[in-house]
Amino acid sequence: MAKKRAKIFESRYFGLVIGALIIGSFLLLDAGTNIFSRLNTKVADLHFVLKSLATSTSIQEGVSIKAKNPKISDDLIIVGIDSRSLARFGKWPFPRSIHANLIDSFSRIKNQNDRENALFLDVFIIEPDRKPADDARFVKSIEDSKRVFMETVLEVGISDYESYPKMLDRQETLFGRTAPFTKVSGAWEDVPEFLGVQAPLKPYAKAVSGYGHANYTQDSDEVYRRQALVAKFSEELEQIKLDDLKPDYRVDGAHYERLAWTDQFGIIHQIRTPLTAESIAKLKSEMEKSAPPVVIDANADGVPEEQYYIVRKYRDYFVPSITLTLALNYFGVAPNDVEIKLGKAIVIPHPTKLNTATGQREPYTLVQGKDGFDAEGKLVKEAPRKTLDNIEIPINENGEMLINFMGYRSSASLDGYQTFPVRSYAGYADRVPGPDPETWPRTKAVGGKILMVGPFADGIAQDEKPTPFGLMYGIEIHTNALNTILMNNFLHAAPYWLDALILAALVLALSFLTSRFSTLWSFLALFVTLIALFFSITFLFEYKSIIIDYVKPAIGMIVAFITIVSYRAMTEERDKKMIRATFGKYVSPKVVDQILEHPPELGGVDKELTVLFSDIRGFTTLSENMTPQELVNHLNVYLSAMTDLILEYGGTLDKYVGDEIMCFWGAPIPQQEHAILACKCAIRQMQKLKELNEGWPESKRINIGIGLNSGIMTVGNMGSPGRMNYTLMGDNVNLGARLEGTNKQYGTNIIISEFTYGLVKDHFVVRELDNIRVKGKNKPVLIYELVDCLDSLDPPPLEKGDKR
């Protein structure tokens, strides 16, 4: 039989070890790869879809109303360049005079206090129009409006070195409209840089009220979920030969200057300052290995006259996204007042909002809850409002914010689904008032609102991008990002320690259950936990805007369940084979099944048991009357009958020694009535022997003696590692053997000791025989002849045996 395994490797304990190993490996895998983060983005997409499921209330046949989402700002309107606009103005791009008409349509109203807060044009004006007059008209409308914002596109590299100085000049002009951020803390050197830019024409750059970049971050699955609210635009100031770099070389870190070099794969590596002789030596070693050298071969003879490596000096400008620029304008906060804490938050101090009725700015407040209305629709109770002293936008180390998308893409149709209100570009651009103020309308009903103007029809400028809600026009992605800021409705990733704690708690809890309970109950626990965890995280995502890692604990629990069940199957199957091999010869199959359900502690243990010895009287005479073969066959009939009764009464067969039988009760499965079962079996054996003798001739009849004793005995696997026996040892075992032989002296068949009698006296008829001193015992023992049973001799229902 196999050597007993260490306790730690028992499934009930090793299951927790497996759980701990899974937790550790998952945390290491999460730290070294982005596997889990990729999967979590998919789960987050599902959370978005679930939270957007709005319920409608039917008010009459065919008519229903949908409650307004309190997390969507009332001050955002999409002015979509839709199919109606294309039908009205023709092929895209429209003449720039049409854009001028749109701007004039909003700026030319009598009540100037009821103007829009801002008008963002998601239209690129990079090249001059074929009609200079249209450009002039467009610029004039922007100047008159004083509320138009435009965008740039940042490029990782410089796509056109010829036009780069021109684009850089335009960007410098835009800095005069919206200054770069100056309060940037954190690892700003490591933020990905943009070296190129596509900026609007310089007259437009001078005329606009502000600008921002329009770049979005595309995740590995090509879905747009984040926007870099702060991007790093880098201007190269100087190229320095590596050999000319000295420890006294200085860069102005206060104005975001830095040194960097580029390897052969185009990857930019930052150079930490201040420089030292050691750091320069290390830099030379790295660049000689990985950087492409500059080779000078003036006469083209293949032999370079000079070869050196380049270090570049940059000045970084931290520029806002267009959505952040619009938000700062809305809040009345200048970029110089904004604090950028990379990896933590963008802090917008003391936001305010313009009251269009009074023309004054007031502290910015958000509604907490819903207004109360009476049956007639009159406001009876205003929802409480919360004044925001600061707005803190959570960002990662690259300045990126997760966009809290509010729903599926909006429809340009008035009767279609709309997450944000959408109005047709043509509805405004086609009805522009003239220059005479007397002819202007009183209002356009967009007081204090931000107008997001951009393509909203298929095929315009390839402006559809994949989002968690499917394809969405770029202008609506901007609107979702801006709404996230205005409503202070940011998605906050749970702290790392909380995700790790949830992972550890759930995996260890499931490991505990799986290692100690049945596979079915463990699977049900796993299933319920996965469902409960998912909906709990969905609830927190919807109502608290908290993102909790679902993937690691979910996969961790599944892996733990499968691993532990597999481990149990392997080890317990081996244990079952061992138990069947060990006990299958000694006990009935039903008892073996009970042992498999409740495995005993293997090894020597002390237990209260009852042992039975039986032996044939006159065996020598019997053997003389038969040939060896006849004797073996005759004994097999007898031993089979006696053994069947032992197993039938729940006994454990220990061994045969010639014609002697040794068996016991109370192990390996505990039996409360072990003495009663043994006595019943002894009486039943005598009855069975009588039946056998009646069918045999006189010369083959058998007479036996049986001795029983109860007490503490050592039971367990004994022997060598290569050959063991499950047997008994101890003085009480020896006493049982002595009592069997004592039957000869008293002419009896069954003798029990006083210890067994004490356990069975109310159930059997006995006759007191004597008070004897057996060999090896100093103290006399009172013995009894077992005569009959007062109860039924029916064997116990072993399938419902005592499992205590």
Side-chain angles (χ1 to χ4, degrees):
M1 190 172 62
K3 183 179 179 181
K4 180 181 177 183
R5 71 173 63 90
K7 194 170 186 179
I8 187 64
F9 291 109
E10 294 179 12
S11 59
R12 59 192 293 109
Y13 301 109
F14 197 67
L16 294 176
V17 176
I18 291 173
L21 291 174
I22 289 172
I23 293 167
S25 60
F26 272 42
L27 292 177
L28 289 174
L29 193 62
D30 189 37
T33 69
N34 60 357
I35 293 175
F36 293 119
S37 60
R38 287 183 180 182
L39 293 174
N40 270 315
T41 57
K42 295 298 184 182
V43 176
D45 291 349
L46 183 56
H47 292 324
F48 275 120
V49 172
L50 291 176
K51 83 170 187 175
S52 72
L53 298 177
T55 56
S56 299
T57 303
S58 178
I59 57 175
Q60 67 181 57
E61 183 66 29
V63 181
S64 62
I65 60 173
K66 187 176 70 174
K68 175 188 176 299
N69 189 337
K71 295 182 179 180
I72 295 179
S73 173
D74 292 328
D75 290 339
L76 293 174
I77 296 177
I78 296 174
V79 179
I81 303 173
D82 55 3
S83 55
R84 175 185 168 190
S85 304
L86 292 173
R88 174 65 184 84
F89 300 117
K91 185 179 178 181
W92 179 261
F94 298 155
R96 291 178 184 176
S97 59
I98 303 299
H99 297 319
N101 288 343
L102 176 82
I103 295 171
D104 291 342
S105 176
F106 288 108
S107 62
R108 293 176 178 178
I109 60 173
K110 291 180 179 179
N111 183 5
Q112 288 292 303
N113 287 336
D114 204 30
R115 288 276 308 277
E116 71 278 9
N117 176 273
L119 188 154
F120 164 53
L121 274 174
D122 187 13
V123 177
F124 293 106
I125 310 295
I126 295 175
E127 299 294 336
D129 194 87
R130 289 177 297 175
K131 297 180 180 180
D134 282 0
D135 270 330
R137 168 81 193 286
F138 195 4
V139 171
K140 180 66 167 60
S141 295
I142 293 173
E143 291 173 340
D144 291 344
S145 172
K146 298 182 177 60
R147 305 193 184 189
V148 175
F149 290 76
M150 300 188 81
E151 64 190 353
T152 63
V153 174
L154 299 175
E155 299 175 327
V156 175
I158 300 173
S159 57
D160 185 356
Y161 281 92
E162 183 178 344
S163 65
Y164 175 70
K166 180 172 58 178
M167 291 296 174
L168 195 60
D169 182 51
R170 295 179 186 179
Q171 181 64 59
E172 292 286 349
T173 303
L174 288 171
F175 283 154
R177 311 309 296 168
T178 301
F181 295 112
T182 57
K183 298 179 180 179
V184 181
S185 61
W188 58 268
E189 301 96 333
D190 298 326
V191 175
E193 57 268 277
F194 293 94
L195 301 178
V197 62
Q198 295 291 321
L201 294 165
K202 195 165 183 177
Y204 291 90
K206 290 180 178 179
V208 295
S209 296
Y211 88 101
H213 73 82
N215 295 61
Y216 280 88
T217 303
Q218 192 175 35
D219 287 332
S220 58
D221 58 355
E222 300 183 349
V223 175
Y224 292 85
R225 300 181 181 89
R226 295 171 289 146
Q227 183 181 39
L229 295 185
V230 180
K232 185 171 77 175
F233 174 67
S234 300
E235 179 185 358
E236 185 180 311
L237 301 179
E238 184 182 1
Q239 291 188 359
I240 311 152
K241 290 183 179 180
L242 177 59
D243 293 336
D244 294 339
L245 204 60
K246 306 300 180 185
D248 58 353
Y249 189 89
R250 296 287 180 264
V251 294
D252 188 358
H255 289 86
Y256 306 112
E257 292 182 357
R258 60 185 171 88
L259 299 175
W261 63 278
T262 305
D263 66 21
Q264 57 190 340
F265 301 107
I267 300 173
I268 297 177
H269 301 264
Q270 309 304 326
I271 301 174
R272 302 302 176 188
T273 55
L275 298 170
T276 64
E278 291 78 13
S279 66
I280 292 175
K282 184 178 179 181
L283 175 63
K284 286 182 178 180
S285 176
E286 292 177 350
M287 292 188 67
E288 287 171 357
K289 291 179 182 178
S290 305
V294 176
V295 179
I296 305 298
D297 185 8
N299 56 12
D301 61 355
V303 180
E305 286 79 27
E306 186 179 7
Q307 179 173 307
Y308 56 88
Y309 297 94
I310 289 294
V311 171
R312 291 176 170 83
K313 181 180 181 180
Y314 294 99
R315 171 168 289 170
D316 295 331
Y317 300 91
F318 292 91
V319 298
S321 67
I322 185 61
T323 51
L324 183 56
T325 296
L326 292 170
L328 294 178
N329 176 73
Y330 183 86
F331 294 136
V333 177
N336 289 338
D337 296 327
V338 176
E339 188 176 0
I340 311 296
K341 301 177 181 179
L342 293 170
K344 296 180 181 178
I346 297 173
V347 181
I348 302 175
H350 313 301
T352 59
K353 180 181 177 182
L354 180 67
N355 186 327
T356 56
T358 64
Q360 302 296 315
R361 300 199 73 89
E362 300 174 349
Y364 187 60
T365 61
L366 285 176
V367 175
Q368 306 291 302
K370 297 181 180 180
D371 294 328
F373 296 89
D374 60 15
E376 298 178 356
K378 294 181 180 179
L379 179 66
V380 294
K381 182 181 179 182
E382 285 191 350
R385 291 180 173 270
K386 179 183 179 182
T387 300
L388 302 182
D389 296 327
N390 294 300
I391 292 178
E392 295 192 10
I393 307 173
I395 57 172
N396 63 14
E397 62 278 1
N398 294 331
E400 298 166 346
M401 175 194 75
L402 278 169
I403 304 171
N404 197 347
F405 287 91
M406 288 290 100
Y408 289 96
R409 63 187 283 177
S410 300
S411 170
S413 173
L414 292 177
D415 57 354
Y417 172 86
Q418 291 188 345
T419 299
F420 296 95
V422 181
R423 299 179 185 176
S424 176
Y425 176 99
Y428 295 102
D430 200 28
R431 292 180 292 180
V432 58
D436 183 4
E438 295 299 323
T439 63
W440 293 354
R442 187 183 64 84
T443 182
K444 282 295 177 75
V446 292
K449 300 186 184 300
I450 301 174
L451 306 179
M452 308 291 287
V453 182
F456 219 75
D458 294 340
I460 299 181
Q462 298 180 344
D463 204 37
E464 286 184 289
K465 295 178 173 62
T467 71
F469 286 102
L471 290 176
M472 189 175 290
Y473 295 115
I475 192 64
E476 190 162 14
I477 299 177
H478 284 305
T479 307
N480 273 284
L482 182 54
N483 181 80
T484 302
I485 301 173
L486 297 188
M487 298 306 292
N488 197 39
N489 187 24
F490 305 111
L491 295 173
H492 296 270
Y496 180 80
W497 65 265
L498 180 59
D499 284 339
L501 180 64
I502 293 173
L503 170 67
L506 292 179
V507 171
L508 286 177
L510 189 83
S511 299
F512 179 85
L513 292 173
T514 307
S515 60
R516 292 168 182 259
F517 294 91
S518 70
T519 301
L520 176 60
W521 283 110
S522 300
F523 176 77
L524 290 175
L526 170 65
F527 181 77
V528 171
T529 303
L530 289 175
I531 298 297
L533 178 65
F534 179 79
F535 283 104
S536 298
I537 291 176
T538 301
F539 176 85
L540 292 173
F541 183 90
E542 164 66 11
Y543 294 101
K544 299 297 181 181
S545 298
I546 297 175
I547 301 176
I548 295 178
D549 187 345
Y550 177 76
V551 172
K552 283 203 297 293
I555 297 180
M557 287 190 291
I558 293 172
V559 171
F561 174 79
I562 294 174
T563 305
I564 295 172
V565 168
S566 300
Y567 181 80
R568 287 184 64 178
M570 290 187 295
T571 57
E572 291 179 6
E573 185 61 32
R574 186 170 61 188
D575 291 344
K576 288 179 180 179
K577 289 181 180 178
M578 180 185 69
I579 289 173
R580 288 188 187 278
T582 303
F583 297 104
K585 306 170 187 176
Y586 313 137
V587 297
S588 70
K590 293 180 179 179
V591 174
V592 172
D593 292 338
Q594 293 180 35
I595 295 172
L596 292 174
E597 292 181 15
H598 303 275
E601 291 288 340
L602 299 181
V605 293
D606 289 340
K607 286 188 172 184
E608 184 184 83
L609 310 172
T610 296
V611 65
L612 181 153
F613 286 90
S614 70
D615 194 16
I616 296 176
R617 297 287 171 265
F619 179 74
T620 303
T621 303
L622 181 67
S623 62
E624 290 176 350
N625 296 327
M626 287 180 277
T627 65
Q629 188 60 47
E630 289 177 332
L631 179 62
V632 169
N633 293 336
H634 191 59
L635 281 178
N636 282 342
V637 173
Y638 158 74
L639 292 174
S640 296
M642 298 300 105
T643 301
D644 289 344
L645 289 171
I646 293 168
L647 300 181
E648 193 174 343
Y649 280 86
T652 299
L653 178 65
D654 189 316
K655 64 174 70 72
Y656 302 115
V657 182
D659 60 316
E660 181 187 64
I661 300 174
M662 176 182 173
C663 58
F664 54 88
W665 280 259
I669 292 179
Q671 294 165 307
Q672 189 176 26
E673 297 180 338
H674 55 86
I676 296 174
L677 291 172
C679 290
K680 285 185 177 182
C681 181
I683 294 174
R684 186 70 185 89
Q685 282 183 326
M686 293 307 302
Q687 292 177 351
K688 183 65 176 179
L689 181 60
K690 182 180 179 182
E691 296 173 8
L692 291 174
N693 282 332
E694 288 176 354
W696 289 333
E698 185 70 28
S699 60
K700 292 187 177 181
R701 291 180 180 176
I702 294 173
N703 186 27
I704 65 173
I706 299 175
L708 295 99
N709 183 40
S710 302
I712 300 298
M713 307 173 199
T714 300
V715 60
N717 287 292
M718 301 176 194
S720 68
R723 186 171 181 83
M724 291 187 179
N725 241 358
Y726 190 72
T727 187
L728 302 179
M729 291 181 67
D731 288 343
N732 284 316
V733 180
N734 296 333
L735 177 58
R738 302 297 183 199
L739 295 181
E740 179 272 318
T742 306
N743 280 290
K744 298 177 183 177
Q745 302 173 18
Y746 293 92
T748 56
N749 289 109
I750 307 174
I751 292 179
I752 65 174
S753 69
E754 61 182 84
F755 309 113
T756 302
Y757 172 72
L759 297 174
V760 304
K761 59 185 177 181
D762 295 330
H763 301 274
F764 293 89
V765 177
V766 300
R767 178 170 67 93
E768 184 177 333
L769 293 176
D770 202 351
N771 197 8
I772 66 172
R773 179 181 286 111
V774 298
K775 185 177 180 181
K777 285 282 187 178
N778 294 324
K779 186 179 178 180
V781 177
L782 190 60
I783 61 173
Y784 300 84
E785 179 187 9
L786 184 64
V787 179
D788 200 0
C789 180
L790 297 175
D791 305 326
S792 170
L793 280 177
D794 292 337
L798 292 181
E799 63 274 14
K800 299 179 182 178
D802 191 352
K803 299 178 183 179
R804 283 174 289 180

